[in-house]
Amino acid sequence: MLTPISNRNMIEIHRQQRLSQMLTETQVQISTGRRLQRASDDPVAAERIAALQRAQNNGATWTINIDRGLAANAAADSTAQSLIDNLAGARELLLAGVGGTASPETHETYALQLEGIATAIDRLAAQKDVSGAPLFRSGPANM
């Protein structure tokens, strides 16, 4: 049978154990710099933290996607300008070739230059962006 003194001693022992546990948790919080060690410490705060982490991750992903899109746009713009320049050169050669003043050797030179332009256009049309995807879609357009 427990006497009142031993009962008080047991209560004091349990109180000391709780204080020791609280002291240990506080020391862990101080040493790690984190108030929450597990989600059960404060479920509402843990959910807020998780929501903030998701928002930060989404923001980082969006930034990466925007940067990739801007890079792909710049590459497509540069390639399109090169295509325009090549097509303008081909037009000039074609117009020069249809005039009746050029000799057969000149026509042959124009033909060789046009073959070079066609090769350059094929090469430009097949370019890929930094992720390996084609800059320009091939096939019918979907509108």
Side-chain angles (χ1 to χ4, degrees):
M1 176 165 157
L2 292 175
T3 63
I5 294 177
S6 64
N7 192 23
R8 264 191 250 145
N9 288 340
M10 292 301 287
I11 292 172
E12 184 60 26
I13 289 171
H14 287 299
R15 189 180 78 77
Q16 290 293 324
Q17 287 174 337
R18 282 194 311 271
L19 287 173
S20 175
Q21 184 179 4
M22 288 172 51
L23 179 63
T24 302
E25 288 175 7
T26 303
Q27 287 174 334
V28 168
Q29 290 173 354
I30 290 170
S31 66
T32 62
R34 296 175 61 193
R35 186 176 70 87
L36 300 176
Q37 299 303 315
R38 53 197 162 278
S40 62
D41 290 346
D42 188 348
V44 174
E47 177 54 34
R48 283 189 204 146
I49 290 169
L52 288 172
Q53 287 173 335
R54 283 190 301 272
Q56 284 178 335
N57 291 341
N58 287 344
T61 301
W62 293 335
T63 301
I64 290 169
N65 289 341
I66 288 170
D67 290 343
R68 285 183 182 165
L70 290 172
N73 185 45
D77 189 45
S78 171
T79 303
Q81 187 59 50
S82 296
L83 287 167
I84 290 168
D85 294 343
N86 278 305
L87 290 173
R91 181 176 185 267
E92 289 175 16
L93 289 171
L94 289 171
L95 290 175
V98 295
T101 59
S103 68
E105 293 83 21
T106 305
H107 282 278
E108 209 172 296
T109 303
Y110 291 161
L112 288 172
Q113 289 176 341
L114 285 170
E115 284 179 16
I117 290 173
T119 302
I121 289 173
D122 285 342
R123 189 181 82 264
L124 289 168
Q127 280 190 341
K128 298 185 182 306
D129 65 9
V130 293
S131 67
L135 279 178
F136 305 105
R137 256 184 65 123
S138 61
N142 295 330
M143 297 204 177

